[in-house]
């Protein structure tokens, strides 16, 4: 911010503001355009069934990306979420004979514990988040394989565990409800609670946050714990949806989640970001898949599933290049 | 670590990371620590693992570690410049997918030409993808993590699209020499690994480019002000990382006698980063040790071998590997 409001400064301020608005809402506009395109082109695209399919299918990424948003806002990263989810899916499947709640709570608790370990190592042993969570990526995969005896673990179908992933409430899948509730709570926590403000403050300027008397270490421990819990929830959904605990699943999920966060407009440098924009990022990546499926279904193109990751990558490329161009043009000297 | 030979240091002083005059022992504490750990592991195995001291065991370990080392050398350069390369595994898959297409269906029906192209084109293509990463980082100012995340996601897909996800199997002794050849009884890829390690250890220690990489990673702005061509240096390290990943891709498929785009290079970025971290290269940039990376990869490999030889399941070995990485990085942190 400049103290002298010369016309040039004001113009520059305005440009910066326009750029940030474009960056923020550009993704939303892209999502709206994709939805419009789909709605006009495919009958049934906006049907409740399809909407819920998309939400249900993306609920796992969505939950992980929600936890990742908090981590990234503090300036960190969590690479362990995919394996932590796999570990939780195994724990959930092993506990499934005891019913949905014990399995759900047990699996999420186990994953939360791993997240807590991440947080403690990062905050108190001061090992880089990248390395800590990379190590946890390996360790959680190892634990998942050990618990599962190197194979997928069938869940017990008789005690209600599959309800979470496969059931619905008046046609709305539980997974979609869970996703919606998680994002509303997440948005409220980030925007309207002291904890949320502390998360933003730590990411904005750690030293300043410390000088203001914030317990930076505790904030860091909490965000990684939260990320572990979200990965745990995703793992339970995975086991419940597929009817098995999958120790080898979740490869590359962390990077997909990070991609969703970045597409939404949260910067990896921390200090800025919102839960809502992450949801937009998750939906954007999800709807690209959905449209591809519709196109394949119409027979106009026949793209194998392999194209999906190419298109996803190309889309990420497009978004980050555009974002960078916008921020550089608008905020070069601010 | 290089000593300061006035004939080779042509970087302006401001750009060279300050190198306080300490004894050789202290300056190389991390390499010595890694070497010590390696020796201890070796002694432990020599005493307690039956048949450890055999040429075969040595070859098995060196063969398994060769591809990780080759990729990790490129990763060391990228990390020393202050970046990261998540795309190496995907680039290995692309290179591995491309090579069989060239020698199984040689152009003009010439097998010799097919082999020649199979050794060069995939590596160059991987190098070009590396330059693409570098371009995103330098021209568009995208963070290395995100820039290389794009090919991490799309790269394996490209390999899968090229092969339609099909396994390509082959038997071609000329091509497979890179993975199965044994001049003087030494696996060819081990020789290749040693040549690459020696070459890049020399480049980092004795050439202007090596100094430039460290200067860029140490303080990019200062390096730029001091006249270091920052963009070109960064572009090159990603290009080199891509080229080396391309070579590693060829070795993997040659060993397997098949190319599976879904599997080649899977998790390689993690193994390479772990080797670099355990080897003592600072992940924040500005310092690098190629020999350390070699030692780091060997330590991780020997730990895994030891655990397997002791009957510890592979899954538990992952947990131990994680603990070792954390311990190594924690100990390094204490030293600064």
């Amino acid at each position: 911010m400049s103290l002298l409001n010369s016309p040039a400064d004001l113009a520059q301020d305005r440009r910066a503001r326009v750029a940030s608005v474009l960056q923020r809402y550009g993704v939303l506009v892209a999502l709206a355009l994709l939805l419009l395109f789909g709605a006009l082109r495919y009958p049934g695209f906006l049907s409740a069934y399809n909407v819920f399919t998309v939400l249900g299918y993306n609920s796992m990424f969505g939950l992980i990306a929600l936890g990742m948003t908090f981590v990234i806002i503090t300036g960190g990263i969590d690479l362990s979420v995919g394996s932590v989810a796999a570990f939780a899916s195994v724990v959930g499947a092993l506990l499934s004979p005891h019913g949905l709640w014990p399995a759900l709570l047990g699996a999420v608790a186990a994953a939360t514990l791993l997240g807590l370990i991440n947080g403690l190592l990062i905050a108190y042993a001061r090992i880089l988040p990248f390395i800590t969570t990379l190590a946890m990526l390996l360790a959680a995969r190892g634990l998942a394989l050990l618990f599962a005896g190197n194979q997928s673990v069938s869940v017990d179908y008789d005690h209600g565990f599959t309800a979470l992933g496969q059931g619905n409430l008046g046609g709305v899948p539980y997974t979609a409800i869970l996703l919606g509730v998680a994002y509303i709570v997440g948005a409220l926590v980030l925007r309207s609670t002291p904890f949320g403000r502390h998360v933003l403050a730590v990411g904005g300027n750690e030293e300043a946050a410390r000088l203001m008397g914030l317990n930076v270490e505790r904030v860091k421990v909490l965000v990684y714990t939260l990320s572990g819990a979200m990965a745990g929830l995703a793992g339970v959904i995975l086991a419940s949806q597929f009817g098995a605990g999958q120790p080898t699943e979740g490869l590359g999920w962390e990077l997909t989640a990070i991609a969703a966060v970045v597409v939404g407009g949260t910067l990896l440098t921390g200090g800025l970001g919102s839960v809502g924009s992450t949801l937009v990022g998750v939906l954007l990546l999800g709807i690209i898949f959905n449209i591809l499926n519709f196109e394949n279904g119409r027979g106009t193109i026949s793209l194998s599933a392999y194209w999906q990751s190419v298109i996803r990558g190309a889309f990420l490329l497009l978004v980050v290049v555009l974002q960078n161009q916008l921020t550089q043009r608008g905020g070069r000297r601010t | 670590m290089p000593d300061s030979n006035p004939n080779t240091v042509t970087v302006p002083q401001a750009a060279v990371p300050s190198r306080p005059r300490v004894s050789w022992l202290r300056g190389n504490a991390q390499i010595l620590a890694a070497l010590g750990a390696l020796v201890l592991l070796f002694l432990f195995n020599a005493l307690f693992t039956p048949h450890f001291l055999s040429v075969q065991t040595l070859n098995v370990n060196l063969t398994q570690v060769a591809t990780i080392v080759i990729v990790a050398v490129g990763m060391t350069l990228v990390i020393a410049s202050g970046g990261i390369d998540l795309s190496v595994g995907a680039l290995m898959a692309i290179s591995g997918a491309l090579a069989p297409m060239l020698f199984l269906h040689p152009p003009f029906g010439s097998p010799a030409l097919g082999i020649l192209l199979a050794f060069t084109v995939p590596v160059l293509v991987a190098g070009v993808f590396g330059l693409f990463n570098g371009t995103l980082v330098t021209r568009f100012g995208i963070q290395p993590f995100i820039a290389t995340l794009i090919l991490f996601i799309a790269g394996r897909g490209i390999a899968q699209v090229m092969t339609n996800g099909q396994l390509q199997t082959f038997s071609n002794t000329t091509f497979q020499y890179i993975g199965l050849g044994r001049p003087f009884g030494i696996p060819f890829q081990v020789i290749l690994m040693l040549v690459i390690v020696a070459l890049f250890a020399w480049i980092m220690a004795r050439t202007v480019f090596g100094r430039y990489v460290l200067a860029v990673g140490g303080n990019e702005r200062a390096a730029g002000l001091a006249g270091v061509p920052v963009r070109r240096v960064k572009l090159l390290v990603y290009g080199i990382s891509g080229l080396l990943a391309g070579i590693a891709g060829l070795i993997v498929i040659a060993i397997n006698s098949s190319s599976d785009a879904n599997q080649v290079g899977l998790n390689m970025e993690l193994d390479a980063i772990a080797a670099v971290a355990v080897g003592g290269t600072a992940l924040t940039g500005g310092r690098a040790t190629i020999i350390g990376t070699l030692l780091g990869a060997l330590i991780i490999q020997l730990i895994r071998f030891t655990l397997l030889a002791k009957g510890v399941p592979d899954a538990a070995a992952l947990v131990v590997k994680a603990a070792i990485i954390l311990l190594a990085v924690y100990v390094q942190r204490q030293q600064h």
Side-chain angles (χ1 to χ4, degrees):
Chain A
M1 286 308 247
S2 126
L3 293 171
L4 299 169
N5 288 326
S6 71
D9 281 341
L10 285 177
Q12 205 178 335
D13 264 11
R14 204 176 311 126
R15 268 203 306 276
R17 218 170 301 138
V18 167
S20 88
V21 166
L22 276 178
Q23 194 188 351
R24 185 103 189 246
Y25 295 100
V27 197
L28 210 54
V29 170
L31 180 62
L33 287 177
L34 272 182
L35 286 174
L36 188 68
F37 170 82
L40 292 176
R41 191 162 164 81
Y42 319 110
F45 182 76
L46 287 183
S47 68
Y49 172 77
N50 189 51
V51 169
F52 290 140
T53 306
V54 171
L55 287 178
Y57 186 78
N58 288 290
S59 57
M60 290 178 275
F61 286 132
L63 290 169
I64 286 178
L66 176 61
M68 189 73 80
T69 307
F70 280 82
V71 170
I72 288 179
I73 290 175
T74 66
I77 197 98
D78 188 351
L79 299 179
S80 69
V81 286
S83 341
V84 170
F87 171 66
S89 82
V90 170
V91 175
L94 290 172
L95 292 174
S96 62
H98 302 288
L100 171 61
W101 287 106
L104 176 68
L105 295 176
V108 172
T112 308
L113 181 66
L114 297 188
L116 174 68
I117 294 173
N118 275 335
L120 292 174
L121 286 169
I122 290 162
Y124 294 104
R126 294 178 193 276
I127 303 175
L128 287 178
F130 191 91
I131 291 297
T132 305
T133 58
L134 175 66
M136 185 56 81
L137 181 156
L138 300 172
R141 178 74 58 199
L143 289 175
L145 288 165
L146 280 175
F147 275 48
N150 283 321
Q151 53 192 348
S152 60
V153 184
S154 305
V155 308
D156 184 327
Y157 279 86
D158 298 332
H159 294 89
F161 180 66
T162 47
L164 176 68
Q166 299 170 15
N168 62 75
L169 186 72
V172 185
Y174 287 135
T175 48
I177 297 173
L178 187 62
L179 188 69
V181 170
Y183 268 86
I184 291 169
V185 172
L188 287 175
V189 167
L190 186 62
R191 285 282 153 234
S192 316
T193 66
F195 171 67
R197 284 193 292 275
H198 294 175
V199 168
L200 287 160
V202 168
N205 186 333
E206 197 174 318
E207 222 30 65
R210 207 184 298 278
L211 290 173
M212 273 158 45
L214 285 188
N215 189 336
V216 172
E217 279 70 34
R218 202 181 60 188
V219 172
K220 285 190 180 176
V221 171
L222 281 173
V223 293
Y224 289 95
T225 310
L226 176 72
S227 178
M230 289 295 125
L233 214 46
V236 179
I237 294 176
L238 173 74
S240 173
Q241 241 170 22
F242 292 92
Q246 316 259 26
T248 53
E249 256 299 334
L251 277 179
W253 281 15
E254 63 289 340
L255 297 175
T256 313
I258 293 166
V261 175
V262 170
V263 165
T266 298
L267 298 178
L268 274 193
T269 39
L272 268 176
S274 85
V275 166
S277 54
T278 294
L279 186 61
V280 174
V282 170
L283 291 178
L284 251 184
L285 293 179
I287 282 170
I288 292 173
F289 273 1
N290 193 235
I291 285 182
L292 209 58
N293 282 337
F294 270 101
E295 274 307 315
N296 273 333
R298 281 164 65 112
T300 46
I301 52 166
S302 79
L303 292 181
S304 64
Y306 304 123
W307 276 102
Q308 296 193 343
S309 51
V310 180
I311 290 172
R312 199 184 248 187
F315 192 77
L316 181 60
L317 172 67
L318 186 73
V319 169
V320 292
V321 167
L322 281 179
Q323 277 180 357
N324 268 280
Q325 295 301 94
L326 284 175
T327 43
Q328 277 172 13
R329 196 172 308 151
R332 185 162 289 160
R333 273 184 300 262
T334 52
Chain B
M1 274 289 137
D3 52 11
S4 305
N5 180 342
N7 295 325
T8 54
V9 181
T10 54
V11 185
Q13 276 306 311
V16 180
S18 61
R19 219 178 279 282
R21 296 216 168 270
V22 288
S23 72
W24 186 88
L25 278 178
R26 275 193 61 198
N28 291 282
Q30 282 170 15
I31 292 208
L32 289 174
L35 201 57
L38 193 62
V39 169
L40 282 180
L41 271 168
F42 192 86
L43 284 178
F44 175 85
N45 277 294
L47 289 174
F48 299 112
T49 306
H51 314 299
F52 178 72
L53 291 176
S54 68
V55 175
Q56 201 195 348
T57 310
L58 184 71
N59 276 352
V60 164
N61 276 304
L62 287 176
T63 308
Q64 287 184 355
V65 87
T67 45
I68 297 176
V69 171
I70 290 172
V71 173
V73 165
M75 189 70 81
T76 310
L77 264 62
V78 173
I79 289 179
S81 80
I84 194 95
D85 188 351
L86 299 177
S87 72
V88 286
L91 297 190
M92 282 175 70
I94 292 178
S95 154
L98 208 49
M101 295 178 160
L102 291 165
F103 68 75
L104 289 176
H105 311 284
F108 311 115
S110 157
L113 182 61
I115 295 286
L116 185 69
L117 292 180
F119 277 126
T120 48
V121 174
V123 176
L124 291 177
V125 167
V128 169
F129 275 115
L131 289 179
F132 169 80
N133 286 332
T135 309
L136 289 181
V137 172
T138 55
R139 289 221 41 96
F140 293 94
I142 297 171
Q143 293 175 57
F145 189 93
I146 296 297
T148 56
L149 176 62
I150 290 166
L151 272 179
F152 172 89
I153 292 174
R156 190 167 296 280
I158 292 172
Q160 287 163 329
V161 167
M162 284 185 339
T163 59
N164 207 10
Q166 305 282 315
L167 183 75
Q168 302 183 87
T169 54
F170 49 82
S171 168
N172 183 319
T173 40
T174 320
F175 174 76
Q176 287 179 266
Y177 192 82
I178 191 172
L180 301 176
R182 294 216 162 179
F184 316 110
I186 306 167
F188 181 76
Q189 73 263 44
V190 174
I191 297 175
L192 198 57
M193 167 187 91
L194 293 175
V195 168
I196 287 170
V197 165
L199 175 68
F200 281 94
W202 176 78
I203 286 177
M204 289 308 287
R206 295 269 179 250
T207 68
V208 175
F209 173 69
R211 291 299 171 94
Y212 279 175
V213 172
L214 295 180
V216 168
N219 186 335
E220 190 173 325
R221 182 171 290 213
L225 290 174
V228 174
V230 173
R231 280 189 173 186
R232 209 180 320 146
V233 169
K234 285 205 203 170
L235 194 62
L236 265 178
V237 293
Y238 288 96
I240 290 169
S241 180
L243 283 177
L244 292 176
I247 294 174
L250 296 186
I251 295 174
V252 168
I253 65 159
I255 294 173
N256 293 342
S257 305
S258 68
S259 173
D260 181 356
N262 310 306
Q263 290 295 329
V264 174
L266 207 60
N267 287 335
M268 182 55 88
E269 61 288 337
L270 303 181
D271 287 335
I273 292 168
V276 173
V278 171
T281 292
L283 286 173
T284 42
R287 283 192 299 122
T289 151
I290 302 286
I291 303 295
T293 296
L294 172 67
L295 294 175
L298 286 173
I299 288 172
I300 295 175
Q301 168 64 25
L302 207 50
I303 288 167
R304 186 161 165 266
F305 176 85
T306 310
L307 293 169
L308 291 179
K310 293 281 153 228
V312 177
D314 215 4
L318 280 175
V319 182
V320 178
K321 185 164 145 186
I324 300 283
I325 292 171
L326 286 176
L327 188 70
V329 175
Y330 182 71
V331 169
Q332 277 175 34
R333 207 188 61 70
Q334 299 304 97
Q335 286 174 354
H336 311 146

